[in-house]
Amino acid sequence: MAGVDWTDSTVKAAGIRLHLSRAGRGHPVLVLHHETGTLDRLPFYDALAQRHEVLVPHHPGYSRSERPDWMRSTRDIAAIYRGLLSELGLEKAALVGLGFGGWIAADMASMAPGDLSHLVLVGAMGIKPPAGDILDLAVTGYIDYARSGFHDQKAFDRVYGAEPSGDQLEMWDICREMSFRIAWKPYMYSQTLPHLLGAVRAPALIVWGDDDKVVPQSAAKRYLEALPKAKLEIVKSCGHCVDMEQPEPLARLVTDFIGRE
Amino acid sequence: MHLMYFTEQPMSAYDEQAGRDFGATALMFSNKHFDPVAGSRLYNNYIEQYMLAEEVGIDGIMLNEHHNAPFCMQAKANIFAGILAGMTKKVKIVLLGNPLPLAENPIRLAEELAMIDMISKGRLVSGFVRGGGQEQLATGVNPAFNRERFEEAHELVVQAWTKVGPFRFEGTHYQHRVVNPWAVPLQKPYPRVWIPGVISKETIVWAAQQRYPYIALNTSIEQTKKIWELYDSVARQTGYQSGPENRGYLIQVHISDNDEKARENAKQFRWMQGEFTGLAHPVWSTPSGYGSPTNRRAFVEFAAGRAINPRGNTTFEQQVEDLRIIYGTPDTVVKKLKRILEETRPGILALWGNDGFVSQADSLTCIRLMGQEVFPAIREIAKNLDLKSPWEADAPVHLRYSTDLQPAAKAAAAE
């Protein structure tokens, strides 16, 4: 894979300082990370940047972005990102949401159904799974929780190391605190979101790992029903964090989807 | 000196091995191990203990609450407070306390407390706590807003007690368009509020700023002295001189008529496998956002099994050595308590008398000796040391009712 030149900067949206990594050229793709925050560089981001202009912001209150104390819902984050795209002059970006980021992407799509080219939801939270429950951060240890995102624990070791650093643990705690602040009850879903998604006309790709222990696969079906133009791809031998466990196949799915639809 | 009896109300009648096998005895430890027949017997045992405490002249009964764990059977302190309000005549009913952030409707809490105060004819002390991390999870309350909810609910309760209704309350976490409870406290301006705690500096500072007594829960003498240093300095900044009337201390003390039995029973203070709040995953006891950000690194390292508990975890022998567990005949106990009184100078003292599997007979003996032998001696010592309770010192219920503030602080308090 050709080397990717990333630029890190701090950008302001609605007065909030956001950490933003940017690379590549082509159709703009906004990638929204998990509730566990994100590492600065990941093979999935690199792979996407081969064909697209990729933007990876850190959510307000997560990783290296400022925490707005007033924030109370993921819809607040979605509104901030709408502001960010408008600030950057990017129209009709593709939205790629990973897990919790999928909820934010779906919220963004429901807010401005005409202002996105594609919607990709990977193991997305945001909808109450018709069967099973979303894994509860609040009763699960930091490492156990992060490990539950993977089917193959060796994949976890590759990303975080077999023994994640103290800095990583602290970062997970900061992210967890923000998740509590905005998604405590109901936990990690909205009761209104499925009803709002009916307005989305952009094509949607729903991706799920076949061994997702964080968000039950039943939620994928609910998203399929709620989004008018959606299709589902199941990734085999893969956990919740498809982006970290099978970065290349996911990047291919996304790139093909954006190129084709 | 105000002298109280306390028990956690242990639910010891469960299968201990089941707790060990599960690896936890809190929050997620299944309630299939809760036996309501034993529960009924134990609740009534505790009522018998409290009635004896009043009979033998103990000044106050300290009550608390916890959720989802065998170490404490009280799921609602106000229930026992209501029972004691009707059944007792003299003892102060000291709630340490109601976990304010757990209240979705603090006005309801204000009403319950006002009822208890009126039924008991003005014997309520209404302490407030943040509630442990597990309590937030057990009740579905967001731990990240714990401190904000604590302070805001306190404000609303005090307004409901003191401000003529109907009025409107528009807060960040609580919005009530009609506040007008038809139950207000008998005690004026309102019942005394005491704030118990263990390690949170923020709580000590807050209590001192309100001029509410702070009750150190089973801390070592050294820790307790540090707490008072902080409290005293905040008091000075706030414009008043703090003293014994601002200081309370809870300590594990088992009294018996023979030393050997006392030692055996005192070991029951460690019955929850050494953790008096039960074995629990650290992320349950300290959910993200619940603790001070300054402790974040220490807690995540502890939660990942890489560091010792920042709250400390010591052996029975060490706790005895540190005078955090005291046991013996009344003479032995009084001698050790004297040292604590001399060193930490509290005006409020609570003895946590019985825990775990201590029999009802031994518990009652402990309470009898406490009321008839230990506390009379402690009262004499306290008199010599000039350790006055908030009532003896005629301390104001809250900073805003102070008449002795330094001029600069007076203006601030009036705000």
Side-chain angles (χ1 to χ4, degrees), chain A residues 164 167 170 173 177 180 184, chain B residues 140 142-143 284 288 296-297 306:
Chain A
D167 286 346
E170 210 173 336
D173 188 65
E177 178 173 350
F180 291 171
W184 180 258
Chain B
N142 196 332
W284 307 347
S288 302
R296 198 187 291 276
R297 187 56 172 251
R306 296 179 188 169

Side-chain angles (χ1 to χ4, degrees), chain A residues 186-208:
Chain A
Y187 179 69
M188 287 295 183
Y189 65 84
S190 152
Q191 288 167 333
T192 57
L193 179 61
H195 305 284
L196 297 170
L197 290 176
V200 178
R201 290 291 175 269
L205 173 67
I206 316 291
V207 183
W208 234 265

Side-chain angles (χ1 to χ4, degrees), chain A residues 38-88:
Chain A
T38 184
L39 300 178
D40 283 346
R41 307 284 179 260
L42 283 171
F44 173 63
Y45 303 159
D46 283 344
L48 275 189
Q50 304 294 322
R51 300 276 297 276
H52 307 287
E53 180 186 10
V54 179
L55 297 99
V56 185
H58 292 185
H59 305 331
Y62 290 79
S63 296
R64 287 201 252 148
S65 286
E66 181 189 0
R67 183 177 91 190
D69 285 342
W70 52 265
M71 235 174 217
R72 287 295 184 275
S73 75
T74 50
R75 262 188 115 65
D76 295 337
I77 297 186
I80 294 297
Y81 282 149
R82 281 270 155 235
L84 174 70
L85 291 178
S86 133
E87 194 74 24
L88 299 173

Side-chain angles (χ1 to χ4, degrees), chain B residues 27-226:
Chain B
L27 191 67
M28 307 286 277
F29 179 49
S30 174
N31 66 359
K32 74 181 177 198
H33 301 291
F34 185 96
D35 171 7
V37 175
S40 171
R41 172 177 58 80
L42 287 166
Y43 278 131
N44 285 286
N45 279 356
Y46 298 132
I47 292 176
E48 187 185 11
Q49 291 183 19
Y50 295 142
M51 296 310 288
L52 177 64
E54 161 149 295
E55 192 188 316
V56 297
I58 289 173
D59 300 330
I61 289 167
M62 169 179 162
L63 302 169
N64 70 336
E65 77 174 59
H66 286 283
H67 300 266
N68 296 27
F71 75 92
C72 174
M73 283 183 71
Q74 286 198 82
K76 184 76 179 162
N78 290 357
I79 298 269
F80 257 88
I83 292 166
L84 294 179
M87 287 181 79
T88 60
K89 297 277 179 269
K90 296 176 304 211
V91 282
K92 300 280 186 197
I93 299 162
V94 182
L95 300 173
L96 296 179
N98 268 289
L100 285 177
L102 269 46
E104 291 300 349
N105 176 6
I107 299 164
R108 171 122 199 159
L109 195 56
E111 289 172 324
E112 290 169 6
L113 292 164
M115 287 174 68
I116 293 163
D117 197 42
M118 287 183 284
I119 295 166
S120 69
K121 300 175 185 167
R123 290 184 286 129
L124 173 68
V125 173
S126 172
F128 294 124
V129 297
R130 297 166 61 207
Q134 284 149 207
E135 323 305 337
Q136 322 299 314
L137 303 182
T139 52
V141 169
N142 196 332
F145 297 120
N146 175 273
R147 195 167 289 282
E148 288 178 27
R149 286 173 68 97
F150 175 85
E151 293 187 16
E152 196 172 306
H154 166 263
E155 179 59 31
L156 176 50
V157 168
V158 169
Q159 283 193 24
W161 281 346
T162 55
K163 201 168 149 181
V164 175
F167 63 89
R168 188 161 169 165
F169 188 92
E170 296 289 340
T172 304
H173 299 281
Y174 300 104
Q175 297 86 26
H176 293 271
R177 299 205 295 282
V178 181
V179 185
N180 191 28
W182 262 72
V184 291
L186 177 64
Q187 296 181 85
K188 298 298 173 198
Y190 58 85
R192 288 188 182 276
V193 171
W194 299 350
I195 306 296
V198 188
I199 56 163
S200 302
K201 282 202 174 101
E202 289 92 338
T203 306
I204 301 163
V205 169
W206 184 85
Q209 286 168 342
Q210 313 304 311
R211 207 172 181 171
Y212 287 154
Y214 183 84
I215 318 295
L217 300 177
N218 208 231
T219 45
S220 69
I221 290 179
E222 286 314 306
Q223 287 170 320
T224 311
K225 284 181 173 172
K226 286 204 181 101

Side-chain angles (χ1 to χ4, degrees), chain A residues 233-260:
Chain A
E233 289 279 353
I234 301 291
V235 180
K236 292 228 164 62
S237 303
C238 189
H240 173 69
C241 299
V242 185
D243 54 306
M244 287 186 270
E245 187 156 7
Q246 299 206 21
E248 308 287 341
L250 180 62
R252 263 197 307 278
L253 278 175
V254 174
T255 301
D256 289 354
F257 174 66
I258 292 174
R260 204 172 48 236

Side-chain angles (χ1 to χ4, degrees), chain A residues 113-154:
Chain A
D115 189 7
L116 69 156
S117 66
H118 303 79
L119 179 64
V120 180
L121 304 178
V122 186
M125 295 173 177
I127 284 190
K128 184 185 180 192
D133 293 305
I134 296 170
L135 181 67
D136 189 357
L137 270 171
V139 297
T140 314
Y142 302 98
I143 297 174
D144 288 346
Y145 184 86
R147 282 195 174 278
S148 341
F150 292 78
H151 165 76
D152 178 3
Q153 291 308 310
K154 286 196 205 82

